Amino acid sequence: MPTPSKTGQLRELEGRQKLLLRLVELSVTLNSTLDLDALLQLITATAMELLDCEAASILLYDDKNPRLYFAAATGSDPEKLAEIPVPIDGSLAGTIFRTNQPLILNNVEQDPRHYSLVSEHIKFKIKSLLGVPMPIQDRTVGVLEAVNKRDGGFTDGDVAILSVTAAHAAIAINNARLLRTTQQALEKVKV
């Protein structure tokens, strides 16, 4: 019969194996899906599941206006969120985007960069937040956020999980955008 410490180690290894399998499944699905809206919903739902948190969102950079906008979020009306422009300066997501560094805040209300307009607009209280940049090649295309960890606070392990998810997501989003642009160009040629 295994000792309590061996049982704990075994559970931890099983948890890691399950996590790695889930990340591989996500990667395969992301690489086989070119519908941008479906991708965004899959990414946020998977991030929420992997980190056991209340919600997740993707903010993408708007090249035409230097700001971030909510492209997808779990548990919120995407159209309502899309109404909220998130500034690059003076917001948590903007800080993550500008510095290209992950950010853990296990007490969001104490941070002056918390953009409370979002919480007020969607009637959702954010207590803790983990955000990571979404890199592709030499640029950042957006920010992937997870909010309100259900059990305790966000950890460095959560940063690693969300960073891997964000890197895969950035590539999949870029591919879907390229396909959409190509399809639009083909439509113009046909007319």
Side-chain angles (χ1 to χ4, degrees):
M1 183 166 187
T3 63
S5 65
K6 289 203 187 260
T7 302
Q9 289 174 340
L10 186 58
R11 269 196 210 117
E12 185 179 326
L13 284 173
E14 287 172 348
R16 284 186 187 173
Q17 180 183 15
K18 190 175 175 182
L19 173 68
L20 289 173
L21 285 172
R22 188 66 185 102
L23 287 171
V24 168
E25 287 171 11
L26 174 66
S27 180
V28 168
T29 305
L30 289 177
N31 286 316
S32 62
T33 305
L34 291 171
D35 177 342
L36 185 57
D37 294 328
L39 278 171
L40 295 171
Q41 293 308 315
L42 173 66
I43 294 160
T44 54
T46 303
M48 192 174 98
E49 172 197 332
L50 291 174
L51 298 182
D52 190 27
C53 62
E54 289 182 13
S57 60
I58 295 174
L59 294 98
L60 295 177
Y61 182 67
D62 183 347
D63 291 323
K64 295 176 181 94
N65 303 306
R67 66 180 178 98
L68 295 166
Y69 65 94
F70 282 95
T74 57
S76 296
D77 180 356
E79 289 174 9
K80 238 180 159 28
L81 278 173
E83 296 170 359
I84 309 167
V86 179
I88 299 294
D89 294 314
S91 71
L92 292 169
T95 300
I96 296 161
F97 182 81
R98 271 192 345 271
T99 62
N100 203 30
Q101 294 294 315
L103 180 66
I104 296 176
L105 282 177
N106 284 317
N107 190 352
V108 170
E109 292 176 337
Q110 300 297 320
D111 196 294
R113 295 168 296 183
H114 173 53
Y115 196 55
S116 59
L117 178 63
V118 175
S119 299
E120 293 163 12
H121 196 70
I122 62 168
K123 312 274 190 278
F124 184 83
K125 186 174 181 175
I126 298 173
K127 297 172 274 215
S128 61
L129 177 138
L130 165 59
V132 297
M134 297 175 66
I136 185 159
Q137 295 165 349
D138 59 345
R139 63 192 172 99
T140 301
V141 296
V143 174
L144 178 57
E145 293 180 335
V147 296
N148 298 348
K149 179 96 170 167
R150 293 185 199 280
D151 187 23
F154 289 108
T155 66
D156 289 340
D158 293 328
V159 170
I161 293 165
L162 200 59
S163 293
V164 167
T165 304
H168 286 289
I171 293 166
I173 289 168
N174 190 58
N175 289 344
R177 284 175 162 174
L178 289 172
L179 177 66
R180 186 180 280 177
T181 302
T182 302
Q183 287 172 333
Q184 289 170 346
L186 286 172
E187 288 300 316
K188 284 181 182 174
V189 171
K190 288 178 185 175
V191 175

